[in-house]
Amino acid sequence: MTTEPWRLFWAKTNREKIEGLPDDWTHPLWAHLIDVGSAAQVLWDNFLTPRLKQKMADALGMNLTDAGRFLSIWIGLHDLGKGIPSFQGIPGAAPEVVYKLAEAGLHVHPEANRLHHGHASIAIVRRWLHLDIDEDRQGKPLPESLLDALATCVGIHHGKLSLRRITDGVAEDKRIVAALGDNHWKQAQLDLANAVFNAWGANWPKTGRQNVIDRRSRSGWPDWMMAFAGWATLADWLGSMQTCYDHTVRADDDLATYLESSRAGAMKAYQAAGLKHQAKLRVKSFKAHFGNRPRPLQSIARKVSLDKNTPNLLIVEAPTGEGKTEAAFYLAGRFGQGIYAAMPSQSTSDGLYPRLAAFLKGDKEKKLRGAHVGDTAALRLVHGNDLLRDDALSLLAVEDLTASIVDDDDDERTLPGDTGAKNHLLSWFMPKKRALLVPYGVGTVDQIFLGVLFAKHFFLRLFALCGKTVIFDEVHAYDTYMNTLFGRLLPWLRALDINVVVLSATLPGEARRQMITAWGAQPDLEENSALAPYPVTWQVAGGQMISHSFKPDSKRGQRLTFQWCSEEVSALAKLARKLIGEGATVLVICNKVDRAQELFSLLDDDVLLPPEDRLLLHARMPQAWRQDREEKARERFGPRRPDRPGLLVGTQVIEQSLDLDADAMITDLAPVDLLLQRAGRLHRHHRDNRPAGYETPVLYIACPKAEPGELPNVDELSAAGRIYGRKLLWQTWAVLQHRKGWALPLGDATLPGYRELVEAVYTQQFSFSQPLNPAAQVDYEKANDDWNARNGRQQADADGRLIPPPNHMQDLFQAKENLLTEDEDNPNGNVPKHLQAFTRDPEGVNAEVLLLHRTDDGWGLTPTGPTLIRRGKKQYMTPELLRSIFGAAVRISHGGIVSALWKEPNEDWQQQQEENRLLKRFQLIELTHYTAVVGGVHLELNERLGLIYNKP
């Protein structure tokens, strides 16, 4: 009996020597299609959210059961494109198959036209759709655009967009037609699609139910198609965890018989991947979860009427200390969904991680109730250095999992060494895009910004957020570039029915209006932002906006005076010594690392303070050092700090991320919203024993003096405009010049509050209370022009990288020539800037660098210590080893150093990167006795000061 040609196609081989599979194992393509369809069905039944499933079913005009079955096998057809000459003829993959195909008249040529098999799948599915195979198909009950969307979105499961349009079953590009093969190949491909679809037994939508189909699917692509693409990718990954499936299946086996086995394998893969650990939130009283009665803001979170039929946007504007984070957690608990807390930095992510864990788990000793119901769930920390923490993946409870792990390219992987559950789950969720699938997560906002950039698998990131409440904290810290990304992300979250909570103490009115507009409501454009209520929660749902204002906690306000002081480092050191000498715990925040290092050097004195009472913290320290110092800062300068003088000198890293309490603060001049944030660490907690003279807070602001009509020289404080725009610093200075302090949150007859200060600085029509002289006016106008040009460039840079909005999803495959490259895939800076998926302003050149010493056989942390990475050898990266490696990393933004690292790469290190993929994100600086010269800059890694740049 002659084997039908379509049965000969292979999908998987054991080139990777997967443990438990024969070396000569080959998995038929038809079986892989069924496996992925089964995985899609398991995800439909157990993972996709009810609202997402209903939206898909309504668009098809089908009930939930039929829609899930229909879409699952459609996803299963994702790899039809493997049945083309170039894939089947991959050298050395399956030589016996090539021979049998030739016997059947399907010839493979060494120079066959190559086409990515996912994109080939799109063309083959479109061909298949235009065949009238039976009466049920003749009516083509689905709109043409929807069929095109379904075909295209299953074909991009590897994250590679198809840029060539397929219409009427024929590819416009003749090269694609040639790559698909001749008529013998064409017939085998169509026969394969028919056989799998018929064995699956799915029903097509009935023509008579067309009237319920979403109107948007008639003329364009429905927005839920973005989630469909992510679902297809996840199903393919699960369907490729090959040790979960029957590896004894043969090409001639019965498809219907194999189907039952495949369904069991798909459930095994689903469980092995840890995806069964779903979010199950239920909240009780506020006190039951947090141990205290709700504050005014938190009462709103407890009582506000949430719309369960449409996604909600809640914007919470409230002072520091009002309990915004707990309110956001409680709101997420009321939605009963998963959580992703999107933070502005790694430090803020690290700080929030244990707080979310406590909310989910509760505390038996304090009799606090956990909001997560049940024993199985996972909480994930998600950022570039998350593995520095042992608890980066915190499992409330797991079973023993022993399945193989699959990477983004469908190559199966098994883990050597520890086969315990935590190790397996940690590895499966290691890629950041996959980490977002965990039901609860805390990480940087960058991880979800990538969901609206043309980065690989961007659609999986958006799909992973479905069924979660996304919490954005400290959004006032976003610049124009990030705000542009945020402005595109919000409509996509709304389109996918994702609830959003935005938190800020100092949000300008224009930023609030943009968010409300992005959520489909019309804000009051005539509103005077300075007179808007504060504190307040804005709720937007179903095109309507409601405000919920409240009285702040009277015990948690801040009334302070500020004094201006010289910006000279020597003068700051003198002032700090005076304050410390009077018994104060002093916090100093500098705008630049160099200034912080210089100042700390002048104060790093055993006579002034014991070593344990003085600390320097900034971003130019190896990650392990920085993590250690952050812990020390929390202990020494946190709420339970000792009653003795102390000194913490830092930069912006302590502006938001650490719960600190100081008797006195010195800060460089910064934009007003950041000054308010910094001052939030001044008298942050109630203390009965402040030093004499420090019973009320005083903020010292470092800024050069200026004569009447002139402007202070802020080049040093702004880094010539690279850190903060001179315009914002001057406007902040001008607003504060005729004020003696502030009274937070509301202000009073003599002192301003949050709203008045922020709107006064960020108004679009700023004017100085005292006229500037001609020279100063020219300087200000130049700074204003620079600021506008910077904002315009940032917006243009962001716009050029963004995916289309939800109502133009079909433009995804027309607008771009290339996928954008993410940071970790561009360690040598070879990719042009316009092709990189920046989540922050691309003008800021930076590189992630490992600071290591060269040893006899590799690289280590110290000149004489053990080798950490063995040169020229591929080695298994244990979690402990990864933590050591990541601990030596520092992000460098010095243009000369970064440029030199890109232009003159270390050849030994490049070879090492080829052996160890996890090292590709890092550049290497080889130290000799803790020093190096790169790009003409002398570098010194100093134990007290961090990485120092010394001028030649």
Side-chain angles (χ1 to χ4, degrees):
M1 181 177 178
T2 303
T3 301
E4 296 166 287
W6 59 268
R7 287 182 173 274
L8 299 174
F9 295 153
W10 65 273
K12 301 283 183 180
T13 66
N14 199 14
R15 288 174 294 165
E16 297 296 332
K17 305 301 179 186
I18 305 169
E19 185 179 350
L21 296 179
D23 289 347
D24 61 350
W25 170 79
T26 301
H27 199 52
L29 178 54
W30 64 259
H32 177 60
L33 302 186
I34 290 177
D35 291 342
V36 174
S38 297
Q41 182 72 64
V42 167
L43 290 169
W44 175 274
D45 293 339
N46 301 280
F47 191 80
L48 270 67
T49 66
R51 284 171 64 173
L52 179 59
K53 291 194 292 186
Q54 191 63 58
K55 184 179 286 190
M56 292 180 177
D58 289 346
L60 298 174
M62 304 176 80
N63 61 48
L64 286 174
T65 300
D66 289 345
R69 191 163 184 79
F70 175 74
L71 291 175
S72 292
I73 193 53
W74 196 288
I75 288 174
L77 298 178
H78 73 299
D79 266 355
L80 279 174
K82 286 187 174 180
I84 61 175
S86 60
F87 188 92
Q88 292 298 308
I90 291 176
E96 292 186 5
V97 171
V98 173
Y99 176 77
K100 291 179 180 179
L101 286 172
E103 284 188 328
L106 281 69
H107 296 282
V108 174
H109 302 285
E111 300 299 325
N113 290 295
R114 297 197 63 80
L115 177 66
H116 188 273
H117 70 265
H119 300 169
S121 295
I122 299 173
I124 295 171
V125 170
R126 295 294 294 136
R127 279 179 171 176
W128 178 63
L129 287 170
H130 284 77
L131 292 179
D132 294 332
I133 297 174
D134 54 44
E135 292 183 359
D136 288 339
R137 290 280 302 284
Q138 287 177 354
K140 295 188 183 68
L142 293 178
E144 191 71 20
S145 60
L146 184 55
L147 294 174
D148 185 33
L150 289 167
T152 303
C153 287
V154 298
I156 61 173
H157 56 276
H158 282 284
K160 303 176 186 295
L161 295 184
S162 173
L163 301 175
R164 300 185 179 98
R165 301 288 294 164
I166 310 295
T167 58
D168 298 327
V170 179
E172 293 177 350
D173 194 322
K174 293 181 179 180
R175 290 174 296 176
I176 295 181
V177 176
L180 299 181
D182 60 21
N183 285 334
H184 294 288
W185 284 93
K186 178 179 179 180
Q187 190 60 53
Q189 294 156 0
L190 298 177
D191 289 345
L192 171 60
N194 288 331
V196 172
F197 194 89
N198 291 334
W200 189 263
N203 296 319
W204 279 82
K206 301 297 183 182
T207 305
R209 298 188 66 184
Q210 250 190 50
N211 60 315
V212 300
I213 295 175
D214 190 336
R215 290 182 179 180
R216 286 173 296 178
S217 64
R218 295 179 180 275
S219 58
W221 290 12
D223 43 36
W224 57 261
M225 200 60 67
M226 184 70 76
F228 175 79
W231 174 24
T233 294
L234 181 55
D236 182 45
W237 287 349
L238 296 181
S240 298
M241 294 174 66
Q242 207 58 60
T243 56
C244 294
Y245 298 86
D246 182 2
H247 61 268
T248 66
V249 63
R250 300 302 177 194
D252 290 327
D253 286 350
D254 180 66
L255 274 65
T257 301
Y258 178 73
L259 186 59
E260 293 303 317
S261 169
S262 178
R263 287 171 177 166
M267 178 54 73
K268 183 179 179 181
Y270 176 78
Q271 293 174 342
L275 294 175
K276 70 173 184 178
H277 302 291
Q278 293 295 296
K280 296 179 182 178
L281 287 178
R282 186 171 64 222
V283 288
K284 299 292 185 181
S285 70
F286 205 88
K287 187 174 183 179
H289 295 290
F290 301 105
N292 59 271
R293 296 178 62 83
R295 297 173 188 157
L297 164 62
Q298 296 163 345
S299 291
I300 290 179
R302 187 167 60 92
K303 297 178 181 179
V304 65
S305 178
L306 301 176
D307 194 325
K308 296 298 180 70
N309 299 313
T310 187
N312 295 256
L313 168 67
L314 293 115
I315 304 172
V316 180
E317 296 184 73
T320 300
E322 280 290 330
K324 294 190 293 293
T325 300
E326 289 75 17
F329 289 168
Y330 198 85
L331 284 167
R334 289 187 61 198
F335 285 122
Q337 300 177 310
I339 297 173
Y340 183 78
M343 307 300 288
S345 66
Q346 293 183 9
S347 294
T348 50
S349 302
D350 290 343
L352 190 63
Y353 184 70
R355 295 172 66 184
L356 179 54
F359 172 66
L360 296 173
K361 298 178 182 180
D363 188 330
K364 292 183 179 179
E365 293 184 3
K366 296 181 180 180
K367 297 182 180 180
L368 298 182
R369 185 184 295 271
H372 175 77
V373 181
D375 296 326
T376 55
L379 167 64
R380 181 75 160 83
L381 181 64
V382 192
H383 61 63
N385 292 295
D386 46 22
L387 290 185
L388 283 174
R389 295 182 66 110
D390 291 328
D391 58 349
L393 182 67
S394 175
L395 301 181
L396 306 188
V398 296
E399 300 172 5
D400 184 47
L401 307 171
T402 56
S404 63
I405 308 304
V406 58
D407 73 8
D408 295 350
D409 293 321
D410 292 349
D411 294 324
E412 296 79 13
R413 295 284 187 270
T414 54
L415 286 173
D418 178 19
T419 58
K422 185 172 183 178
N423 199 23
H424 279 287
L425 276 183
L426 180 60
S427 297
W428 203 91
F429 288 114
M430 186 76 72
K432 298 301 181 285
K433 71 193 77 168
R434 193 180 293 161
L436 295 175
L437 294 166
V438 170
Y440 307 113
V442 177
T444 54
V445 69
D446 308 71
Q447 301 303 324
I448 54 177
F449 276 168
L450 286 168
V452 291
L453 296 173
F454 276 96
K456 190 175 180 182
H457 287 128
F458 59 89
F459 42 84
L460 181 71
R461 294 178 185 270
L462 292 177
F463 169 68
L465 295 175
C466 292
K468 292 182 172 68
T469 297
V470 181
I471 300 170
F472 294 93
D473 200 3
E474 311 288 3
V475 294
H476 57 268
Y478 298 173
D479 60 11
T480 298
Y481 186 88
M482 295 176 71
N483 270 320
T484 305
L485 304 188
F486 190 45
R488 181 59 48 86
L489 178 62
L490 282 177
W492 271 111
L493 297 180
R494 176 177 174 242
L496 296 175
D497 292 314
I498 298 168
N499 294 302
V500 169
V501 181
V502 175
L503 308 177
S504 178
T506 54
L507 187 67
E510 180 60 29
R512 180 179 67 254
R513 283 192 288 267
Q514 290 175 3
M515 294 179 207
I516 293 171
T517 301
W519 211 258
Q522 292 298 321
D524 183 0
L525 299 179
E526 302 301 322
E527 172 200 64
N528 184 337
S529 295
L531 301 178
Y534 187 92
V536 63
T537 294
W538 309 87
Q539 182 183 10
V540 189
Q544 302 297 315
M545 179 185 69
I546 304 173
S547 65
H548 307 276
S549 58
F550 58 95
K551 292 183 178 180
D553 189 336
S554 60
K555 297 179 180 179
R556 305 194 64 84
Q558 184 190 62
R559 187 181 182 89
L560 62 72
T561 58
F562 46 75
Q563 298 182 16
W564 298 93
C565 62
S566 170
E567 89 291 358
E568 295 291 337
V569 174
S570 58
L572 295 182
K574 183 178 180 180
L575 174 59
R577 284 181 177 273
K578 171 183 177 295
L579 301 177
I580 293 169
E582 294 173 351
T585 290
V586 180
L587 179 58
V588 185
I589 303 181
C590 300
N591 292 348
K592 295 170 56 180
V593 173
D594 291 344
R595 282 175 58 82
Q597 289 174 326
E598 182 181 357
L599 175 61
F600 189 76
S601 295
L602 296 176
L603 298 171
D604 195 17
D605 180 357
D606 288 342
V607 176
L608 178 66
L609 288 170
E612 63 270 18
D613 289 332
R614 59 185 194 271
L615 190 65
L616 172 67
L617 179 59
H618 56 73
R620 207 191 299 161
M621 291 180 171
Q623 283 293 333
W625 293 17
R626 178 171 165 179
Q627 185 181 54
D628 177 67
R629 294 190 185 205
E630 286 183 355
E631 289 299 322
K632 290 180 178 178
R634 290 188 182 96
E635 181 178 349
R636 175 58 186 84
F637 301 95
R640 298 177 179 84
R641 66 175 175 83
D643 294 324
R644 61 177 187 267
L647 171 70
L648 174 60
V649 177
T651 57
Q652 291 86 341
V653 298
I654 57 176
E655 193 172 90
Q656 300 166 338
S657 58
L658 301 175
D659 185 6
L660 308 173
D661 178 272
D663 298 318
M665 175 179 288
I666 305 170
T667 174
D668 284 345
L669 177 66
V672 67
D673 50 332
L674 302 184
L675 286 181
L676 289 164
Q677 285 290 328
R678 293 178 183 187
R681 276 69 191 158
L682 180 58
H683 286 222
R684 184 179 182 90
H685 296 283
H686 174 75
R687 300 178 70 87
D688 294 323
N689 49 355
R690 299 278 180 192
Y694 294 87
E695 295 84 1
T696 57
V698 177
L699 178 68
Y700 296 88
I701 305 176
C703 180
K705 290 183 179 180
E707 296 299 325
E710 294 184 350
L711 292 169
N713 183 352
V714 294
D715 282 356
E716 169 67 12
L717 301 181
S718 69
R722 292 191 302 274
I723 298 177
Y724 303 123
R726 295 185 303 155
K727 165 191 165 75
L728 280 186
L729 292 188
W730 279 334
Q731 290 181 186
T732 298
W733 168 82
V735 167
L736 298 182
Q737 275 296 295
H738 61 278
R739 292 175 169 89
K740 298 179 181 180
W742 56 59
L744 305 181
L746 301 179
D748 57 27
T750 59
L751 296 176
Y754 277 108
R755 187 73 84 197
E756 181 181 347
L757 287 168
V758 171
E759 298 301 336
V761 171
Y762 283 93
T763 179
Q764 295 183 354
Q765 303 296 326
F766 186 84
S767 60
F768 289 88
S769 58
Q770 182 178 13
L772 300 177
N773 65 40
Q777 185 65 37
V778 170
D779 286 344
Y780 176 74
E781 291 175 359
K782 174 64 166 57
N784 190 54
D785 290 342
D786 290 345
W787 178 253
N788 291 334
R790 175 182 179 177
N791 289 340
R793 175 193 56 76
Q794 288 186 359
Q795 182 168 347
D797 281 342
D799 285 338
R801 292 170 168 82
L802 286 170
I803 65 173
N807 57 340
H808 290 282
M809 186 183 170
Q810 62 271 23
D811 295 342
L812 279 171
F813 307 96
Q814 300 176 11
K816 291 293 171 182
E817 292 290 328
N818 296 279
L819 277 175
L820 300 178
T821 301
E822 297 179 39
D823 271 355
E824 58 191 39
D825 297 321
N826 184 38
N828 298 317
N830 298 327
V831 179
K833 276 190 176 182
H834 71 283
L835 296 180
Q836 296 181 48
F838 290 108
T839 56
R840 308 287 172 121
D841 183 6
E843 194 68 17
V845 179
N846 60 72
E848 198 161 10
V849 173
L850 292 180
L851 302 174
L852 298 173
H853 285 76
R854 190 180 184 93
T855 63
D856 291 338
D857 58 345
W859 297 275
L861 294 176
T862 62
T864 59
T867 296
L868 189 67
I869 303 172
R870 301 198 178 278
R871 192 163 41 251
K873 294 183 179 180
K874 188 172 184 177
Q875 61 192 104
Y876 171 56
M877 297 291 183
T878 65
E880 292 74 23
L881 178 58
L882 284 173
R883 278 194 287 274
S884 296
I885 293 172
F886 289 6
V890 63
R891 189 168 288 275
I892 290 180
S893 58
H894 188 290
I897 297 174
V898 173
S899 178
L901 290 171
W902 287 347
K903 292 178 180 178
E904 303 174 9
N906 184 304
E907 293 182 2
D908 286 343
W909 184 249
Q910 286 185 314
Q911 180 183 352
Q912 193 67 33
Q913 290 176 321
E914 295 303 318
E915 296 292 338
N916 295 286
R917 184 180 58 179
L918 290 172
L919 300 179
K920 286 191 173 181
R921 58 182 277 204
F922 298 108
Q923 291 279 22
L924 174 70
I925 291 181
E926 282 189 346
L927 300 173
T928 302
H929 300 297
Y930 297 97
T931 64
V933 179
V934 181
V937 180
H938 293 261
L939 306 179
E940 176 189 350
L941 184 58
N942 184 283
E943 183 179 3
R944 296 291 291 169
L945 301 179
L947 187 63
I948 303 171
Y949 301 158
N950 292 314
K951 298 179 181 179

